[in-house]
């Protein structure tokens, strides 16, 4: 598969051979190769990468702490300083080995270091594989404002190897599945149906491995096709934001509130998708049957419901709304939503009255 810049998206084990050829063809000196990892990917994923390409052991490893809270400009400065200490130059290459935090931050670091150096993404979380590493958006958060600082900058190669998922905690798998379900909802009803079938029998892992790998492949295909048609998010790409207007605001709200446990991105997006499906039903022609179907699947992913932990939701909805108003995707001071018409068909640039946003969040309390 190629991305919108005709760069390669490679799958499974043979991709390591191609990575080796790429390094050779581009005369990348091993001393000029940097691998960015976090605590977890250093422990679980780096040995897998080394088992495929032993010579990478001689590259320089830059390690950061795991987690969304590290996705900020201070961490970038720490990485840039490391690159300086290791004498990186304009021919250096960074391999980002990790989840969406690593690929977002590593891509951003590469995009501005010496006005741009090359990088390769090897996502190791499901969310990273099917979403964060596809589409060339890089960036960091500005305090609690998600992805406020960033750039469009593409990796030279993207390697998808589901073997990395074997050590990923189940809640992270569920978080990634939310984005896969989203791909079905906005663009492909058959994919939604196949995801549903898979979800109900997913604990029988061995038997389903091929099916699972194929779903990952198809999910990437859907996102890649949308990005290819609209790389700079002028229109169609906005459909990928379905569930994210409310979802991102909830994610930031939970990040701001130290008394609350952090809400995983995918779970925030599942709540957002239920809310925004409700709004789609109210004002965008989505049938009540489609809404009920979406709610029934996504609410299972959410169990136990994190919204139940908000003690005074009526009051805190205003805080959530304020965060939504700051979203950089707003235009002409209006909050813009992507809303479903049917399962598999999505509209964008929809405006929604405040009362309906509030109603949609309040009904999440009683899932
Ligand atoms: N750029 C984009 O287009 C885009 C799209 C969607 C999401 N994102 C961003 O992606 C981020 C979320 O990504 P994420 O869910 O991958 O989070 P993450 O990178 O924080 O990874 C989740 C956790 O899993 C650990 N981990 C990673 N791989 C592992 C493995 N194979 N085994 C065991 N543990 C492993 C990580 O250390 C971390 O603790 C958010 O910051 C979000 O904004 C970006
Ligand atoms: Zn997302």
């Amino acid at each position: 598969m190629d991305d919108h810049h005709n760069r390669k998206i490679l799958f499974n084990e043979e991709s390591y051979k191609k990575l080796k050829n790429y390094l050779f063809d581009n005369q990348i000196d091993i001393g000029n190769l940097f691998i960015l990892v976090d605590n977890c990917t250093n422990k679980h994923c780096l040995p897998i990468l080394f088992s495929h390409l032993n010579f990478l052991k001689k590259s320089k490893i830059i390690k950061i702490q795991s987690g969304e809270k590290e996705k900020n400009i201070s961490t970038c400065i720490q990485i840039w300083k490391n690159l300086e200490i290791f004498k990186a130059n304009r021919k250096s290459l960074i391999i980002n080995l990790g989840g969406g935090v690593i690929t977002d931050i590593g891509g951003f670091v590469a995009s501005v270091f010496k006005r741009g150096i090359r990088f390769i993404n090897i996502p190791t979380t499901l969310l990273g594989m099917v979403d964060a590493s596809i589409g060339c958006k890089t960036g960091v958060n500005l305090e609690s404002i998600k992805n406020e600082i960033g750039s469009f900058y593409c990796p030279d190669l993207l390697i998808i190897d589901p073997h990395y998922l074997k050590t990923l905690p189940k809640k992270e798998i569920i978080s990634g599945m939310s984005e896969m379900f989203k791909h079905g909802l906005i663009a492909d009803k058959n994919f939604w149906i196949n995801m549903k079938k898979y979800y109900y029998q997913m604990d029988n892992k061995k038997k389903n491995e091929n099916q699972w790998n194929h779903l990952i492949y198809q999910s990437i295909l859907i996102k890649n096709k949308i990005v290819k048609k609209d790389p700079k998010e002028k229109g169609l790409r906005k459909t990928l934001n379905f569930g994210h207007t409310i979802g991102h605001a909830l994610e930031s709200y939970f990040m701001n509130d130290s008394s609350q446990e952090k809400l995983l991105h995918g779970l925030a997006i599942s709540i957002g998708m239920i809310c925004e499906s409700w709004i789609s039903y109210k004002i965008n022609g989505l049938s009540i049957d489609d809404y009920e179907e979406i709610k029934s699947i996504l609410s299972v992913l959410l169990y136990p419901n994190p919204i139940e932990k908000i003690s005074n939701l009526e009051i805190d909805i205003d805080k959530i709304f304020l965060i939504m108003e700051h979203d950089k995707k707003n235009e002409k001071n209006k909050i813009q939503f992507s809303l479903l018409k049917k399962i598999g068909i999505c509209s964008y640039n929809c405006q929604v009255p405040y009362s309906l946003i509030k109603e949609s969040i309040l009904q999440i309390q009683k899932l």
Side-chain angles (χ1 to χ4, degrees):
M1 202 189 295
D2 288 347
D3 75 2
H4 59 287
H5 282 276
N6 292 326
R7 288 177 170 122
K8 294 282 172 225
I9 305 178
L10 306 170
F11 289 84
N12 300 321
E13 309 228 330
E14 67 180 280
S15 50
Y16 295 102
K17 227 182 271 164
K18 293 188 177 151
L19 169 58
K20 191 176 173 187
N21 291 343
Y22 164 91
L23 297 174
F24 184 77
D25 293 346
N26 288 280
Q27 298 172 340
I28 308 278
D29 172 26
I30 192 80
N32 227 344
L33 215 159
F34 298 85
I35 304 179
L36 181 65
V37 290
D38 66 22
N39 290 340
C40 296
T41 62
N42 183 52
K43 181 171 169 207
H44 298 297
C45 306
L46 202 54
I48 300 180
L49 179 60
F50 288 161
S51 74
H52 290 287
L53 298 172
N54 191 40
F55 66 91
L56 287 180
K57 283 184 178 162
K58 292 194 189 123
S59 60
K60 285 153 186 149
I61 311 298
I62 301 181
K63 192 170 88 178
I64 63 170
Q65 300 294 312
S66 299
E68 181 73 26
K69 63 180 186 320
E70 303 301 317
K71 203 176 109 172
N72 57 44
I73 206 75
S74 313
T75 311
C76 293
I77 293 172
Q78 178 196 327
I79 300 169
W80 286 317
K81 282 185 176 163
N82 268 296
L83 289 169
E84 276 305 321
I85 292 166
F86 288 132
K87 302 202 168 17
N89 57 36
R90 295 182 73 177
K91 292 200 165 151
S92 298
L93 174 99
I94 301 180
I95 297 179
N96 295 321
L97 183 68
V101 167
I102 287 288
T103 54
D104 272 13
I105 205 169
F108 179 65
V109 158
S111 75
V112 284
F113 185 75
K114 298 194 189 286
R115 299 208 172 84
I117 59 171
R118 288 173 289 189
F119 77 107
I120 286 172
N121 276 340
I122 310 183
T124 61
T125 62
L126 182 58
L127 194 127
M129 291 179 194
V130 299
D131 195 1
S133 67
I134 317 279
C136 303
K137 280 187 185 174
T138 78
V140 293
N141 305 329
L142 185 63
E143 293 176 344
S144 66
I145 312 174
K146 290 272 301 166
N147 306 324
E148 186 72 343
I149 312 293
S151 57
F152 282 99
Y153 196 64
C154 299
D156 270 17
L157 288 179
L158 168 57
I159 292 179
I160 306 292
D161 179 359
H163 277 107
Y164 291 110
L165 302 179
K166 291 204 165 33
T167 53
L168 194 67
K170 184 159 180 197
K171 61 180 183 151
E172 299 286 350
I173 296 280
I174 299 291
S175 174
M177 285 180 92
S178 301
E179 301 282 2
M180 295 172 81
F181 276 117
K182 181 194 77 183
H183 289 159
L185 288 176
I186 61 170
D188 188 336
K189 184 166 184 178
N190 269 336
F191 183 71
W192 163 260
I193 293 168
N194 290 338
M195 278 296 295
K196 268 198 318 182
K197 278 192 203 146
Y198 178 81
Y199 182 69
Y200 284 125
Q201 35 142 7
M202 77 184 261
D203 286 330
N204 193 354
K205 271 184 194 143
K206 246 201 178 111
K207 200 170 142 213
N208 295 328
E209 201 155 298
N210 285 343
Q211 192 190 356
W212 177 228
N213 290 351
H214 188 61
L215 286 170
I216 293 175
Y217 179 84
Q218 282 185 307
S219 187
I220 293 170
L221 204 64
I222 294 172
K223 175 154 185 191
N224 194 43
K225 204 163 136 192
I226 293 173
V227 173
K228 269 185 161 174
K229 286 188 183 154
D230 176 24
K232 287 281 162 79
E233 203 167 311
K234 303 273 182 251
L236 185 70
R237 188 168 179 173
K238 294 180 185 180
T239 58
L240 289 163
N241 297 330
F242 172 62
H244 284 61
T245 312
I246 292 176
H248 263 163
L250 284 169
E251 200 179 357
S252 300
Y253 165 84
F254 276 84
M255 216 193 308
N256 282 342
D257 186 342
S258 52
S259 67
Q260 302 272 9
E261 201 183 315
K262 193 183 85 81
L263 186 58
L264 289 185
H265 178 77
L267 295 190
I269 277 17
S270 271
I271 301 173
M273 287 194 282
I274 300 174
C275 295
E276 293 176 23
S277 297
W278 170 258
I279 298 171
S280 303
Y281 156 63
K282 287 284 187 158
I283 59 170
N284 207 45
L286 185 73
S287 72
I288 188 73
D289 289 351
D290 276 0
Y291 166 69
E292 290 294 347
E293 183 177 330
I294 295 166
K295 187 173 83 169
S296 70
I297 286 286
L298 298 182
S299 55
V300 181
L301 299 187
L302 281 178
Y303 188 77
N305 180 1
I307 298 293
E308 276 174 8
K309 292 190 198 131
I310 305 179
S311 51
N312 206 338
L313 188 58
E314 283 270 358
I315 291 174
D316 282 10
I317 278 184
D318 287 337
K319 289 190 199 161
I320 296 166
F321 190 73
L322 273 178
I323 303 171
M324 236 178 279
E325 282 185 317
H326 275 104
D327 196 313
K328 63 190 166 310
K329 295 189 182 86
N330 296 336
E331 284 171 29
K332 296 180 196 134
N333 286 330
K334 292 268 182 339
I335 301 175
Q336 302 285 329
F337 280 79
S338 297
L339 297 177
L340 297 180
K341 276 211 161 310
K342 289 180 177 171
I343 293 181
I345 301 176
C346 188
S347 345
Y348 51 86
N349 288 351
C350 309
Q351 280 163 28
V352 179
Y354 171 68
S355 56
L356 194 50
I357 298 173
K358 188 168 178 176
E359 184 182 309
S360 79
I361 299 174
L362 280 175
Q363 51 108 31
I364 293 285
Q365 265 183 319
K366 29 185 170 50
L367 278 180

